Amino acid sequence: MLVVVVRTLILYLIVVFIMRIMGKRQIGQLQPFELVIAIMISELAALPMQDIGIPLINGIIPILTLLFAQITLSFIGLKNPHVRAIICGRPTILIQNGKINEAQLRKEMYSLNDLLEQLRIKDIQNIADVEFALLETNGQLSVIPKSQKRPVTPQDLNISTQYEGLSMDIIIDGDISYENLKLANLDINWLKDTLSKFGINNPKDVLFASLDSEGNLYYQVKERGNK
């Protein structure tokens, strides 16, 4: 039993490490060749877990080989757009100027029901409102509404807006991020003084606190039972 546990943990760590190297993308964002490699890696890792008669190295070597193949293909695709087009394909225009491209639908085996469902998810109720709808290489549908149907922006109204940067997490579940405090050119004394103004004497009582680009502190204290 201990052997099974150890083998499982080793393979788990290897697979997590490999998936981390492959990049931060969800399953739905993977290119076809990346999805195939992910499935094959999971199958190769499962076999030595189920059968302890299979040497562990027989699972590790093919997994590392697939990782090498994935990195190689990705590198070639970055350097050569033509090779990337062969490996990953090109986006397909399914709707152009409010008209459905039936030939491309049949080619991609994409049904009208699938198309209408994806448009509804994008809050598009009328195909006539769509300038372009493209089926991306990862299977997601990108929709560009006609200019008259797009939401109004401050630029359209000639309204100037202030810069909005990323907020910084200062406290998460009572733990202070000293690194983010330093990036904001602040220190623990400033944090304690600011919290004390809100009647909070101990940062451990704070569930979450963040600092926006204008220096405003947002905070939420823990519920009494969770302190």
Side-chain angles (χ1 to χ4, degrees):
M1 180 63 69
L2 181 60
V3 174
V4 175
V5 172
V6 173
R7 286 164 64 96
T8 300
L9 290 175
I10 291 174
L11 288 168
Y12 169 75
L13 292 174
I14 291 174
V15 172
V16 169
F17 175 73
I18 288 176
M19 297 306 291
R20 178 66 182 85
I21 292 177
M22 288 177 63
K24 298 179 180 179
R25 284 197 280 184
Q26 300 175 358
I27 293 297
Q29 297 174 328
L30 296 177
Q31 296 295 336
F33 80 95
E34 295 173 326
L35 180 59
V36 169
I37 288 177
I39 294 174
M40 292 180 67
I41 286 176
S42 65
E43 290 292 331
L44 288 170
L47 290 175
M49 291 184 196
Q50 298 170 352
D51 187 356
I52 60 175
I54 300 177
L56 195 60
I57 194 68
N58 287 7
I60 295 176
I61 290 178
I63 290 175
L64 294 178
T65 302
L66 288 176
L67 173 63
F68 175 77
Q70 192 273 337
I71 292 175
T72 302
L73 288 174
S74 296
F75 180 78
I76 294 174
L78 288 174
K79 297 297 182 180
N80 193 322
H82 300 290
V83 174
R84 181 171 181 81
I86 295 173
I87 297 173
C88 302
R90 291 184 173 91
T92 302
I93 299 176
L94 300 184
I95 299 177
Q96 183 172 356
N97 195 23
K99 183 179 179 181
I100 299 173
N101 192 328
E102 296 182 50
Q104 293 297 337
L105 279 178
R106 288 193 295 268
K107 179 182 176 182
E108 299 294 339
M109 293 184 289
Y110 208 81
S111 70
L112 274 174
N113 289 333
D114 292 334
L115 179 60
L116 294 173
E117 178 183 346
Q118 291 302 314
L119 290 176
R120 288 193 296 270
I121 291 175
K122 305 282 186 182
D123 293 327
I124 302 294
Q125 308 300 324
N126 192 344
I127 292 179
D129 297 339
V130 179
E131 186 72 40
F132 287 100
L134 298 95
L135 185 63
E136 304 292 355
T137 56
N138 61 5
Q140 294 186 350
L141 188 71
S142 298
V143 180
I144 303 174
K146 291 183 177 180
S147 58
Q148 301 90 338
K149 298 296 182 178
R150 297 173 194 167
V152 177
T153 65
Q155 184 178 6
D156 296 329
L157 302 176
N158 293 321
I159 299 175
S160 60
T161 59
Q162 294 182 343
Y163 169 76
E164 292 183 1
L166 292 175
S167 62
M168 290 187 178
D169 301 335
I170 302 300
I171 301 176
I172 297 180
D173 198 13
D175 292 328
I176 301 172
S177 175
Y178 293 96
E179 180 180 355
N180 284 348
L181 274 177
K182 185 177 180 180
L183 288 174
N185 294 320
L186 301 172
D187 56 22
I188 186 64
N189 293 326
W190 172 89
L191 180 61
K192 289 182 177 179
D193 290 341
T194 303
L195 291 176
S196 65
K197 295 177 182 178
F198 300 111
I200 303 171
N201 298 319
N202 190 347
K204 293 290 184 183
D205 296 336
V206 178
L207 177 67
F208 177 75
S210 64
L211 192 70
D212 64 20
S213 57
E214 296 182 356
N216 299 316
L217 184 71
Y218 166 85
Y219 71 95
Q220 179 178 337
V221 297
K222 297 180 181 178
E223 297 179 358
R224 291 184 179 274
N226 296 330
K227 293 182 180 181

